[in-house]
Amino acid sequence: MTQATKNRLNRVRSILVSQPKPTDERSPYFQLTEKYKIKIDFRPFIQVEPVSIKDFRKQKIEILKHTAVIFTSRNAIDHFFGICQELKIEMPADMKYFCISEQTAHYLQKYIVIRKRKLFVGTRTAADLFDFFKKHKSEKYLFPCSDIRKDDIPEFLSKNNIDFTEAIIYHTVAADLSDLKDIKYDILAFYSPSGIKSLFHNFPDFEQGKTRIAAFGPTTAQAVKEMNLIMDIEAPLPNAPSMTGALELYIKKANKI
């Protein structure tokens, strides 16, 4: 923590998390609320809109000419199988699936019966899949994604001369936050650069003032800096690998616990 952020170490009473409210009652966010008696609200700063079948067809992608599909989110899974349904495409039993995490792989079961030999699962990040890609270089990969996505997977596949097709199946757009105009929070917690962009899309004249900013991941942190905001809380940290962990450390210092 820099001297500048130490000087901003005021008591925390309220946090706005720029994501949907967790459905799991055991979420660490709810534990923070109970443990430190602070108010935590949830509000997605971005929303996704499906690509129309007309626009998908313009990409001239033949799904069944691929032998493997890469999934990095639940949104990608939902919109991909939504397109398959509209096009009356049934995925073959020998299709391989590469999922960024166990949660994503588990969600995939909503649409298909998974055969273990056809499923390859990372632990959390795209880099976890790179060894799988190397071992299966002969596959023809389909990468369903948003119009706003990280470059790591396409760059790795291109660099290693692995055959892949990127399919834009949904758009990431700023949510309408106009009702938050006069509401103030001690901390705003962001998980992606898109969340930062949405903040300024909704409030072009946003002034940070005493509001603390929490950012998860290097790309989000970079977006905070590019908008000339002060980043008070950065996650993950060596002793706090999650956003909630980093927030808790900060709350303890700010609230002198």
Side-chain angles (χ1 to χ4, degrees), residues 108-123:
L108 183 58
Q109 296 180 71
K110 178 179 177 181
Y111 294 96
I112 63 169
V113 176
I114 293 175
R115 299 180 180 181
K116 288 187 177 180
R117 63 187 177 87
K118 302 297 183 186
L119 185 65
F120 305 89
V121 184
T123 54

Side-chain angles (χ1 to χ4, degrees), residues 23 35 53 57 68 101 110 131 147 150 165 167 188 211-212 214:
T23 55
K35 187 174 181 180
I53 289 299
R57 283 186 169 132
S101 67
K110 178 179 177 181
D131 283 341
D147 56 328
K150 294 181 180 179
T165 304
L188 299 179
T211 302
R212 271 66 51 87

Side-chain angles (χ1 to χ4, degrees), residues 70-130:
I70 303 167
F71 287 122
T72 58
S73 71
R74 293 183 178 187
N75 278 325
I77 292 173
D78 283 335
H79 289 92
F80 174 74
F81 283 99
I83 284 174
C84 288
Q85 184 176 18
E86 284 200 57
L87 295 177
K88 295 181 171 56
I89 292 174
E90 187 172 337
M91 300 302 284
D94 60 351
M95 182 67 75
K96 296 182 176 68
Y97 299 94
F98 293 74
C99 296
I100 197 168
S101 67
E102 287 284 354
Q103 292 91 336
T104 307
H106 181 74
Y107 191 73
L108 183 58
Q109 296 180 71
K110 178 179 177 181
Y111 294 96
I112 63 169
V113 176
I114 293 175
R115 299 180 180 181
K116 288 187 177 180
R117 63 187 177 87
K118 302 297 183 186
L119 185 65
F120 305 89
V121 184
T123 54
R124 192 167 62 89
T125 68
D128 298 326
L129 293 175
F130 291 171

Side-chain angles (χ1 to χ4, degrees), residues 234-245:
E234 186 172 5
L237 297 169
N239 56 341
S242 65
M243 174 67 91
T244 49

